[in-house]
Amino acid sequence: SPMAERLDLPRRVYRVVRTDPPTRTDFLSPAVLGRRFADPRQHDLAEGISVFATEAQARRQALAYQLGRHIAELQLRAGAEIRRTQRRTAGHHTVRADAEALLRSVVRVVPVD
């Protein structure tokens, strides 16, 4: 899609999660969780999970939207597809990968505050 570009792996990214340690549920896409988006342009976003390029960007989103109490640092590897999604949110990327594989890719978890 013209809204996204593939990025090289391996790659460090940051995901807001609810618990430390995170669980598989923290890495399920909105589509898997049954959430529907009215706008078809958001289909790509629904099929993957939101991550951020920096810990600071993830922290800002976590605080602004009460997304979770922790930030997980992930070392993505081959098998994950990461796209930079053109949104108003700085550093926002969408990752499509198996939730179990994403959970295994967590290298560090820090509190939001």
Side-chain angles (χ1 to χ4, degrees):
S1 105
M3 298 256 313
E5 69 181 87
R6 284 175 182 250
L7 299 171
D8 293 333
L9 296 171
R11 175 79 190 250
R12 293 269 166 133
V13 294
Y14 300 84
R15 166 83 173 162
V16 180
V17 295
R18 290 178 179 83
T19 57
D20 179 8
T23 67
R24 181 175 171 273
T25 307
D26 285 303
F27 301 100
L28 295 176
S29 70
V32 168
L33 293 171
R35 182 166 170 213
R36 297 287 171 260
F37 291 95
D39 185 342
R41 288 172 301 182
Q42 292 190 292
H43 177 73
D44 267 0
L45 297 175
E47 293 291 320
I49 63 160
S50 291
V51 298
F52 296 89
T54 72
E55 185 181 318
Q57 289 162 341
R59 180 168 285 109
R60 278 197 293 276
Q61 289 301 301
L63 292 170
Y65 299 102
Q66 302 293 304
L67 297 174
R69 306 282 309 273
H70 303 275
I71 296 165
E73 181 178 341
L74 284 69
Q75 175 75 35
L76 298 178
R77 301 189 185 285
E81 178 185 295
I82 180 170
R83 292 169 179 250
R84 181 173 16 251
T85 23
Q86 304 301 325
R87 297 181 62 182
R88 292 182 303 273
T89 306
H92 184 276
H93 296 69
T94 300
V95 173
R96 295 168 78 144
D98 175 69
E100 297 286 348
L102 290 169
L103 182 59
R104 287 193 300 271
S105 73
V106 173
V107 294
R108 187 173 70 108
V109 179
V110 295
V112 165
D113 44 24

